Each structure stands twice: as C-alpha cells, then as structure tokens.
Amino acid sequence: MSGTSSGLTPPADAVAPVRHPDAPAPGEPLGAHYGQCFGCGGEQPHGLRLEARAGEGVSVTAEFTVRPAHQGAPGLAHGGVLATALDETLGSLSWLLRTIAVTGRLETDFVRPVPVGTVLYLEAEVTAVAGRKIYSRATGRIGGPEGPVAVRAEALFVEVKVDHFTEHGRPQEIQAAMDDPDQLRRVRAFEVNP
C-alpha cells in the first residue's frame, strides 16, 4: 500500500504515537470491550471472537479462526469478515493510547484467499497522531506471525467522547450496558468501539 490515499497520509505536523503509562503491558490480553461486539465479544454466536494482546510500543497482535459462518465463497472467508478483523484489531490500539476512538476510514488490500479453518494472525500499530486523528496500519497472516500475508489495511481513527455512543446507539443496548452491575464491564462497553 502506498499510504497516499486521501485521508490516510498523516499531515506534516503529526507526531509519533505515545503509549499511555496505564496501558496494558506487552503480552497482556486486552479482552472484549463489549460482550455483544461482533469482532471481539464472546456473546455473539457467529462473531469473530477475536483475541487481541498488547504488543511493544503502540502495537497489538490478535488472532481469530475463520469458521464456516464466516464464508463468502465456498470454503473461503468473506472479504467483509476479513475487513472486520482488521478493523477490530486496529480499534484495539485505542487501549494503548487510553482514548476512545472510532473508525473514520479503512482501506483494505486483499492479497490472498483465507480458507475456512485458518487461524488469521494480525498485527497492528499506530503510526502517527495529529490532534484527534490516529493513523494506523495492520497486516493479517495465515497461520501465524511468519505466515503468508493475506490482508493489509491502513486506517484513520478519530477520537470521540463517550457521548458519541450514548447519543447514536440504540437505547435498549445503551441502557443495558449502563445498567450492568459490573462496573468494569460498564466502563469498557464505551471505551473502545472500532
């Protein structure tokens, strides 16, 4: 990818990302931010159940297994599911910045087919920050960190306030999340939303 697409090239005044001092330690699992999230939640029967871990610097690794429910063509992952995996992994970077951010733009390259049953290993990193804009990139490899590249993405995330979710989300889910007796789950539901 050239990185020259409109909106994905950081401006000249962008700065290097800084890992927040309270960010999870390298290797630490990030967990699901919301049980009903299609990307990382464990309560979605056909979701990706993507498992992300903090990496070094401002990076994360993640993986998920392509299941039959994720098919597009017979026996192959749907491209939209692969884009979702990239988006979820990129969104997990917010845990390391300790900011709330949403996807503003996602550009994906599909390099090779990903068969059902494959473990897709993903790596993502923040490359620059400019005000509320967070620039990042990710790569998905078949089978593990040394496997062949299957997908790549560049993304722009935009920092938002929690009001973004409470004003635009469906009231039933917002209220259910806010009423959760588990304070940690209640807070996490609104912290990261790729």
Side-chain angles (χ1 to χ4, degrees):
M1 286 182 300
S2 65
T4 59
S5 298
S6 173
L8 292 176
T9 302
D13 63 347
V15 297
V18 176
R19 184 188 190 102
H20 193 279
D22 296 332
E28 188 175 325
L30 300 180
H33 71 93
Y34 176 52
Q36 289 293 328
C37 175
F38 182 80
C40 66
E43 298 169 28
Q44 282 290 343
H46 299 298
L48 304 185
R49 299 183 181 174
L50 189 130
E51 297 179 13
R53 292 184 176 275
E56 297 293 332
V58 188
S59 71
V60 298
T61 60
E63 57 183 52
F64 86 100
T65 300
V66 179
R67 295 182 287 142
H70 303 145
Q71 290 180 89
L76 296 173
H78 189 288
V81 167
L82 298 175
T84 300
L86 287 161
D87 185 51
E88 185 69 30
T89 304
L90 289 157
S92 296
L93 291 164
S94 294
W95 292 114
L96 304 181
L97 299 173
R98 300 302 296 159
T99 189
I100 302 170
V102 295
T103 311
R105 183 177 177 98
L106 177 69
E107 186 173 297
T108 306
D109 290 328
F110 300 96
V111 179
R112 66 174 23 96
V114 180
V116 168
T118 296
V119 173
L120 191 66
Y121 178 85
L122 300 118
E123 297 176 317
E125 66 177 341
V126 175
T127 58
V129 176
R132 293 176 46 226
K133 295 180 178 181
I134 303 165
Y135 298 85
S136 54
R137 64 179 169 225
T139 303
R141 296 176 177 272
I142 293 175
E146 305 304 321
V149 173
V151 291
R152 289 189 298 255
E154 288 188 30
L156 167 65
F157 278 72
V158 180
E159 184 179 350
V160 296
K161 302 293 182 206
V162 73
D163 297 358
H164 171 86
F165 306 108
T166 58
E167 291 175 9
H168 300 289
R170 199 165 74 156
Q172 301 94 299
E173 282 84 0
I174 297 295
Q175 196 59 53
M178 290 172 68
D179 290 344
D180 192 321
D182 184 317
Q183 182 179 358
L184 180 60
R185 276 199 318 247
R186 187 170 56 242
V187 170
R188 285 179 67 110
F190 300 103
E191 280 190 338
V192 176
N193 190 343

